Amino acid sequence: MRIISGIQPSGNITLGNYLGAVKNFVKLQDKEDITDFLVFVADLHAITVPQDKAELRKNIKSLVSIYLACGLNPEKVKIFIQSEVPAHAQIGWVLQCNGYIGELERMTQYKDKKERQVAGVSVGLLTYPSLMAGDILLYDADMVPTGLDQKQHLELTRDLAERFNNKYGETFVVPTPFIPEAGAKIMSLTEPTKKMSKSDPNPKAYISLLDDINVIKKKIKSAVTDSDGTIKYDIDNKPGISNLLTILSCITNTSIKDLEAKYKDSNYATFKEDVANAVANEIMPIQEKYNELINSKYLDEVLDQGRDYANYLANKKLNKIYNKIGLGRKR
Ligand code: ATP
Ligand code: LTN
């Protein structure tokens, strides 16, 4: 089985990215039936909205260190930077030519992000899911682990794969999304009906894995809740408490039911204190490893290896795709 996933270097990775994506990559890497597992830094995706050059470079390197600090093992998972594998942009173009504007305009992420653009909406923001489909189809991935917000893009990827296969003959593996049962949608701490997002303009809305530990605790203790006073999971009426229960459940591997029973007679302050400590204890060792890695040569070694392997797989596939379509001369 082949697995692939990526994260955009569009800011500092959040607790949402960690619980919805990275933590599952780390779990999946030990599965026995894996032939290839690729995890990349989606820098081409990040430039669909304006990015500062120095910040982008910093975020790319930082994300690689985070991957490693969270426990991804380069012996099992190839880690690479998307823009260092030109075939991603090439297949992205091919898939743009096989996608429809209407289906892209329906994407929720596009509709949300479009509203936030002050300097105009880039064409890339619209066509982004074709590039994402290319990231996946280029490697014949069977499984794609992501958070819930990517479900719609993964469905489009399946549609594009099937459409291409029908038009040009069997070419692509139709991938299966892998969305975790718990932690697939961690919500904002300030507006718990909105997803936690690393590009949120309000830093109190998210926990960055690189936030100072005391800041992390403070953010959790001041998370928006309600005035009802009971610690119960109720997404509609108690989104803030439900979000904190989900976070605690994912980190401690305890079911929400057991947590509700444990905190039956507690107040919000005690509960938040426990959530804050659990999150801090999970993140502290990650930060320690991150600090050891961020300026080491090891990052480049991992990335060189990942780039070479990904280019090898991707170019082989791209040749097949070009041949199916009739591009260039027969290779
Ligand atoms: P941006 O704010 O720039 O859109 P983001 O924080 O939404 O970024 P992505 O880079 O789009 O993060 O997502 C990386 C991975 O993390 C994806 O698999 C995505 O589904 C997952 N993810 C993102 N936000 C959350 C969240 N709040 N809860 C769970 N998983 C999430
Ligand atoms: N679109 C994703 C990041 C992403 C991705 C991918 C995830 C880009 N390419 C391929 C899985 C597979 C996002 O914004 N979270």
Side-chain angles (χ1 to χ4, degrees):
M1 165 170 11
R2 274 198 179 158
I3 307 182
I4 189 156
S5 197
I7 296 183
Q8 302 184 60
S10 45
N12 281 328
I13 192 160
T14 67
L15 185 65
N17 302 135
Y18 175 68
L19 296 178
V22 185
K23 207 171 189 306
N24 295 308
F25 305 166
V26 177
K27 272 191 214 149
L28 284 170
Q29 71 181 346
D30 293 321
K31 266 173 79 85
E32 269 168 17
D33 53 344
I34 296 177
T35 41
D36 284 301
F37 193 164
L38 300 126
V39 170
F40 64 98
V41 176
D43 57 347
L44 293 174
H45 283 271
I47 62 166
T48 52
V49 298
Q51 298 288 342
D52 174 80
K53 176 180 169 182
E55 278 288 305
L56 180 61
R57 279 266 152 80
K58 192 176 103 227
N59 288 336
I60 291 172
K61 209 170 133 191
S62 170
L63 182 51
V64 178
S65 309
I66 285 280
Y67 281 152
L68 295 169
C70 290
L72 282 186
N73 175 357
E75 311 242 314
K76 296 180 178 167
V77 180
K78 296 285 180 278
I79 299 173
F80 68 94
I81 300 172
Q82 185 188 29
S83 64
E84 295 184 1
V85 183
H88 285 254
Q90 292 168 298
I91 188 182
W93 175 252
V94 167
L95 293 174
Q96 277 185 57
C97 296
N98 285 278
Y100 299 116
I101 293 177
E103 62 191 349
L104 291 170
E105 279 172 341
R106 279 199 294 277
M107 295 292 121
T108 320
Q109 185 174 305
Y110 167 68
K111 289 195 272 191
D112 288 350
K113 287 200 175 177
K114 189 177 143 198
E115 295 307 318
R116 284 187 259 146
Q117 302 314 308
V118 276
V121 179
S122 76
V123 176
L125 195 63
L126 176 68
T127 60
Y128 160 116
S130 328
L131 181 62
M132 174 164 167
D135 299 335
I136 298 165
L137 301 180
L138 202 45
Y139 298 95
D140 288 327
D142 307 279
M143 193 204 259
V144 188
T146 67
L148 190 62
D149 61 330
Q150 296 305 310
K151 190 165 176 244
Q152 202 183 24
H153 293 159
L154 294 174
E155 278 160 6
L156 181 75
T157 302
R158 290 171 59 87
D159 289 348
L160 285 170
E162 279 165 2
R163 187 178 304 154
F164 193 101
N165 286 348
N166 286 334
K167 191 163 163 193
Y168 297 105
E170 228 25 64
T171 310
F172 293 128
V173 170
V174 181
T176 311
F178 179 85
I179 295 166
E181 264 168 48
K185 193 170 184 189
I186 301 297
M187 309 309 269
S188 152
L189 297 178
T190 51
E191 290 171 78
T193 49
K194 235 177 70 180
K195 87 158 188 158
M196 182 183 286
S197 173
K198 61 173 127 61
S199 56
D200 197 308
N202 179 5
K204 287 193 178 143
Y206 59 81
I207 298 225
S208 156
L209 293 201
L210 299 178
D211 275 342
D212 180 271
I213 291 295
N214 288 322
V215 171
I216 293 180
K217 289 187 181 172
K218 246 194 219 142
K219 282 183 180 176
I220 291 189
K221 287 182 195 164
S222 53
V224 169
T225 50
D226 53 65
S227 53
D228 157 69
T230 54
I231 297 160
K232 256 183 21 205
Y233 189 88
D234 178 347
I235 272 283
D236 296 325
N237 301 310
K238 301 168 68 61
I241 289 291
S242 303
N243 191 36
L244 294 177
L245 276 167
T246 303
I247 293 173
L248 190 58
S249 160
C250 287
I251 290 181
T252 58
N253 276 324
T254 315
S255 72
I256 303 256
K257 263 211 157 37
D258 287 353
L259 290 176
E260 283 175 339
K262 179 172 174 193
Y263 291 102
K264 190 166 53 73
D265 301 317
S266 300
N267 58 28
Y268 286 1
T270 316
F271 172 60
K272 281 179 162 178
E273 177 88 31
D274 283 6
V275 180
N277 287 334
V279 173
N281 290 338
E282 179 89 1
I283 294 182
M284 249 178 317
I286 297 178
Q287 291 190 349
E288 269 167 39
K289 281 200 207 112
Y290 175 91
N291 291 330
E292 281 167 27
L293 285 164
I294 187 71
N295 290 315
S296 73
K297 287 212 180 78
Y298 180 60
L299 290 189
D300 279 322
E301 286 167 28
V302 168
L303 288 173
D304 286 352
Q305 226 191 57
R307 173 201 60 205
D308 293 346
Y309 189 66
N311 269 301
Y312 163 74
L313 293 178
N315 287 331
K316 248 190 350 187
K317 185 75 187 179
L318 191 71
N319 264 333
K320 286 191 188 148
I321 298 164
Y322 276 16
N323 276 338
K324 290 267 185 185
I325 303 174
L327 288 169
R329 284 173 287 167
K330 193 158 169 49
R331 275 155 285 210

